[in-house]
Amino acid sequence: MKDFIKLQEERIKNAILSLGYSVDIVKLNVSSMPDLGDYQFNGVMSLAKEHKKNPRDIANEIVEKLDKSDIEKISVDGPGFINITFKNDALINYFNDYNLTPYNKNNIKVVIDYGGPNVAKTLHVGHLRSANIGEALKRLAIFLGYDVTSDIHLGDFGRPLGLVILELKKRHPEWVYFDENYNGEYPSEDVVTNKELEEIYPYASNKAKEDEEYLEEARIITTKLQKKEKGYYDLWKNIVNVSIKNIKYLYDKLNVSFDLWKGESDADEFIDDVINYLRNNKYTRISEGAEIIDVSLPDDKLEIPPLLLVKSNDSVSYETTDLATIWDRVHSINPDEIWYVVDNRQSLHFEQVFRTCYKSKIVNENVKLEHLGFGTMNGKDGRPFKTRDGSVMTLENLITIVRDETIKKINSNYSNEERETIADALSIAALKYADLLPVRSTDYIFDVEKFCDLNGKTGVYLLYSIVRMNSLIKKVNDNNINYNSIKMLNNKQDRDILIKLLQVESVLSKSMEEKSLNYITDYLYQLAKVYNTFYDSNKVLIEENKDLRESWIVITTKVVDVMTKLTNLLGIDIPDKI
Ligand code: ARG
């Protein structure tokens, strides 16, 4: 079914065209002055300029010509704004047929690269946003008809792993992994725990900073690992498995999942292909012993340094790994777009990689490579959020802090078990909602009281609202209600709900256009708020007028349906009760 607002926009466009004016896109905006109308059309000014006429005159001509079958009241105000109020019947008819449903397939193939945790390193607050934003964009894109492949792109093949293996070798020199003459099977059970890994990596990394010899040993082991040398490579597989279990456990809590669990190690086999291709086609040059690719362009405002393909010590860079990953994706998936949901601070990296890809035709120019950068979650001091003693805050700790706050809000009559389950849902909702609320590229401040405020723009408020609507619907003991039939509206409050519901499709497309979830989080808040205003002053279940009571129940189900679907797009689960 055609979106109601799109239909009205089309009618305006038809009126304009039939008057002989030219127009491309007609956009109706939610009214900034609701007393004047539900929506307004502000496009007359530019038409007037183009055709050198008085805007009010044009506005009046449009109003005259317009198909006004769904319009109750229309006026030309100010210099030439057209304000429109829709007929209640038109709204009712529309919503009686309306259901928010996934869009038809659009055949656009997208790979979304997000998460990007590093194996054997603790997941920390810095990993929160990529996972949340990436997951929500994935769900939104699928809903809107894209053909999506999500890929976690683990950091699993670099120096950190070399360091961890070296330290394990120091601690357990007797392990079969380090015995060159060993010919048997390697252990199939985990050889370390995640807890040990969390201790080992920082230890080894600090030691390497002070101890040149240790660092050199780690380098050698890293090279052996990358050459997939027996023993080292087998130990690596074991470590990766341990680490992935923990990553899965935490991402599960956040409702984050992936189609592909590939990593940098999977790109390794394409590195030679990429380097040879770039070399053979003369895109590289040697500078100070390293092999680089120039990517700066004449009108760059900021100098973009060359991409470092092969370092002077013969090892490859983070950029090379990403080139090889793109090589793999192009050959195995052939996507139309690749989206990278990665911290803003990596923008130079992606600029260099993308430029290299286009310049060398590793991807063709129709393929869209896009870095969707995001801002940092900061502490109240404006710096990346840390623990009280100044060390990195783990993701698990962060979730616990929010959980401790949300559990306070739960009905104390519930059993402990019930409270625990609800606290899980509430804390994830609070955290994810707060994380998706700001415009993608901006920083925000971690403020647990604010995130869990029962009456604020929060995931907690959202879930409370939905749970309350659901419980209202559950209490309806009338099997004869036709859930597709709103029969009447009675006041401003019930009408305001339908007016707010009109926005949903444009909110989804705006979010996709800008690849930012803030439009959805904000809209959910507004929708909950209009509904709650209605709910607070109307007694739905005991309303005596049967038609009105049923209409209100149907409206409630429509709101719940939209809110549930949008909440799900954000990756937030709704508990049965709070
Ligand atoms: N592992 C990287 C990091 O922690 C993020 C990976 C982002 N994705 C990519 N294709 N480079 O910084």
Side-chain angles (χ1 to χ4, degrees), residues 214-438:
Y214 189 85
L215 177 65
E216 187 50 33
E217 279 182 83
R219 274 203 198 107
I220 295 170
I221 290 187
T222 309
T223 311
K224 285 178 195 259
L225 165 64
Q226 290 172 348
K227 293 209 169 101
K228 303 193 179 168
E229 232 181 79
K230 177 170 136 338
Y232 291 99
Y233 186 63
D234 297 275
L235 175 56
W236 171 84
K237 278 199 261 182
N238 197 306
I239 297 171
V240 170
N241 266 334
V242 172
S243 197
I244 282 184
K245 275 187 225 162
N246 183 254
I247 292 171
K248 277 209 168 117
Y249 162 76
L250 280 166
Y251 280 168
D252 269 355
K253 278 185 186 262
L254 293 170
N255 294 328
V256 170
S257 64
F258 299 89
D259 300 315
L260 300 179
W261 281 75
K262 287 196 168 190
E264 296 186 339
S265 63
D266 295 286
D268 190 66
E269 60 177 303
F270 304 102
I271 286 196
D272 285 345
D273 292 349
V274 171
I275 293 176
N276 288 334
Y277 172 86
L278 290 166
R279 255 181 214 155
N280 295 342
N281 290 288
K282 312 237 167 346
Y283 290 109
T284 64
R285 68 181 172 89
I286 305 291
S287 166
E288 296 171 24
E291 200 164 4
I292 61 173
I293 298 174
D294 291 310
V295 290
S296 72
L297 294 170
D299 30 314
D300 283 344
K301 290 199 182 69
L302 277 176
E303 162 103 11
I304 307 283
L307 176 141
L308 178 58
L309 188 67
V310 185
K311 299 181 194 167
S312 55
N313 66 4
D314 237 22
S315 64
V316 296
S317 67
Y318 179 40
E319 286 70 40
T320 320
T321 311
D322 261 320
L323 290 173
T325 306
I326 292 177
W327 184 276
D328 178 19
R329 287 173 182 162
V330 166
H331 288 89
S332 60
I333 301 175
N334 190 22
D336 300 289
E337 304 190 11
I338 308 180
W339 304 346
Y340 292 86
V341 186
V342 184
D343 195 305
N344 279 337
R345 287 169 287 190
Q346 295 198 22
S347 64
L348 177 63
H349 163 78
F350 286 109
E351 190 62 41
Q352 292 176 310
V353 170
F354 297 170
R355 285 186 181 199
T356 302
C357 285
Y358 290 123
K359 175 176 175 173
S360 65
K361 305 193 176 57
I362 286 177
V363 302
N364 93 34
E365 58 187 7
N366 304 325
V367 175
K368 196 153 139 205
L369 301 173
E370 206 175 350
H371 173 211
L372 306 175
F374 52 80
T376 320
M377 183 175 87
N378 290 328
K380 289 188 175 145
D381 59 358
R383 309 184 48 86
F385 189 54
K386 295 237 160 68
T387 60
R388 234 171 251 179
D389 67 12
S391 51
V392 181
M393 167 80 67
T394 66
L395 196 50
E396 190 148 33
N397 251 338
L398 182 81
I399 295 173
T400 309
I401 293 176
V402 181
R403 201 172 179 283
D404 290 347
E405 183 68 25
T406 43
I407 205 152
K408 297 181 198 160
K409 322 255 161 181
I410 300 167
N411 191 331
S412 50
N413 298 329
Y414 292 153
S415 72
N416 273 347
E417 206 187 321
E418 285 171 321
R419 285 165 59 87
E420 297 293 328
T421 317
I422 298 168
D424 282 338
L426 272 187
S427 54
I428 297 303
L431 193 57
K432 293 190 70 139
Y433 186 89
D435 199 37
L436 299 171
L437 189 60

Side-chain angles (χ1 to χ4, degrees), residues 3-158:
D3 178 52
F4 185 84
I5 296 300
K6 285 227 171 77
L7 177 68
Q8 307 304 324
E9 288 170 341
E10 231 161 65
R11 288 180 179 167
I12 297 179
K13 185 170 177 173
N14 288 341
I16 295 175
L17 292 176
S18 69
L19 287 163
Y21 302 118
S22 53
V23 69
D24 194 16
I25 293 167
V26 165
K27 183 121 194 42
L28 270 179
N29 295 317
V30 176
S31 177
S32 52
M33 287 178 285
D35 292 341
L36 291 178
D38 301 324
Y39 273 74
Q40 60 192 91
F41 177 57
N42 302 334
V44 175
M45 270 34 104
S46 60
L47 271 180
K49 216 184 222 159
E50 198 187 323
H51 296 276
K52 302 204 172 50
K53 285 186 80 167
N54 178 340
R56 283 192 68 99
D57 291 345
I58 298 196
N60 283 316
E61 289 174 35
I62 295 172
V63 169
E64 176 71 33
K65 198 77 189 178
L66 182 64
D67 174 348
K68 293 185 277 290
S69 30
D70 293 336
I71 294 175
E72 177 74 34
K73 195 176 97 199
I74 185 162
S75 58
V76 174
D77 299 291
F81 300 115
I82 300 179
N83 287 299
I84 298 173
T85 303
F86 300 116
K87 283 184 187 157
N88 283 1
D89 279 353
L91 297 172
I92 289 174
N93 282 339
Y94 175 69
F95 281 109
N96 281 345
D97 273 343
Y98 179 78
N99 215 333
L100 178 63
T101 44
Y103 290 23
N104 295 334
K105 299 259 169 291
N106 65 14
N107 291 324
I108 300 177
K109 241 192 231 178
V110 189
V111 172
I112 314 183
D113 179 316
Y114 64 100
N118 299 311
V119 163
K121 284 200 207 174
T122 317
L123 276 167
H124 58 78
V125 292
H127 293 105
L128 180 72
R129 300 209 76 195
S130 176
N132 284 342
I133 299 172
E135 178 69 23
L137 285 178
K138 173 186 82 177
R139 293 177 183 218
L140 177 62
I142 293 172
F143 193 86
L144 297 181
Y146 290 80
D147 174 356
V148 179
T149 307
S150 54
D151 185 355
I152 186 167
H153 197 73
L154 293 165
D156 60 357
F157 222 41

